Amino acid sequence: MTPHNSAKAGDYADSVLLPGDPLRAKWIAENFFEDAVEVNAVRNCLGYTGTYKGQRVSVQATGMGQPSLSIYVHELINFYGVKNLIRVGTCGGLSEKVAVRDLVIAQGATTDSTLVKDAFGPYNFAPIADFDLLRDCVARAEVAGLNYHVGNMVSSDIFYHDDGLKSYEAVIRHGALGVEMEAAALYTLAARFGVKALAVCTMTDSLITGAALSAADRQSSLRDMVTLALDVAINA
């Protein structure tokens, strides 16, 4: 057990899905898992383990932002032996070619976070996805006929930028597809501890066009994303 997690050794599967929202973790467990068991409820950051297509798998909420995710990911790897971590979240769109409901599969993650910057001295570390997970996810998305994009995600520690979209001008000019708040820290920790990680996000609100998903469309899009991520997780 840790200060943030009441699970016991062996309670988590080797592969864990990582939504930010605790209620989304609960929704995944209730709608996709068989024989789901709650393994963590400390601070209401819910975690569950069950089976999907006969394979053991887990889901653990990480809260909002890279500092919160870093706590849970560090502990999942170092205290619970998790080997494969797949973030399932939402992102804002930074490209006109990414429509609402589309998936952004993060090949890399640019960040403004000192969690990454301060760890590497003079080097600008480039946090990237595990290639095996990335390749499998893209192949499965293709077979399923999902609208997806592979490229650079932006992981920002700031949700409300004073200068709005202007703050993203440089990364937009260099082809960034979406913005969220967790992927770069996930990829950095996975690299540090020698495990596999991938971030897959549904684009729900375009910062470029202003288009946004309705509540009903958001739920159905998340279902497609979670199904894809689970299929990757149980084959990792």
Side-chain angles (χ1 to χ4, degrees), residues 31-54:
N31 288 276
F32 294 88
F33 289 6
E34 294 181 3
D35 304 317
V37 176
E38 182 183 285
V39 296
N40 182 48
V42 176
R43 298 173 181 253
N44 286 323
C45 224
L46 303 174
Y48 300 86
T49 295
T51 59
Y52 174 75
K53 295 184 177 180

Side-chain angles (χ1 to χ4, degrees), residues 86-87 89 91 98 102-109 129-142 146-153 177-178 183 187 197-203 225 228-229 232:
I86 302 178
R87 165 160 159 71
C91 68
V98 181
D102 286 1
L103 297 179
V104 176
I105 303 170
Q107 182 177 15
D130 174 78
F131 180 71
D132 289 337
L133 294 183
L134 178 69
R135 177 171 54 183
D136 189 37
C137 186
V138 171
R140 291 177 185 279
E142 189 74 27
L146 301 177
N147 293 323
Y148 70 91
H149 309 265
V150 181
N152 201 350
M153 187 75 81
L177 298 175
Y187 288 179
L198 180 68
V200 184
C201 291
T202 299
M203 201 281 272
M225 174 182 63
L228 174 65
V232 173

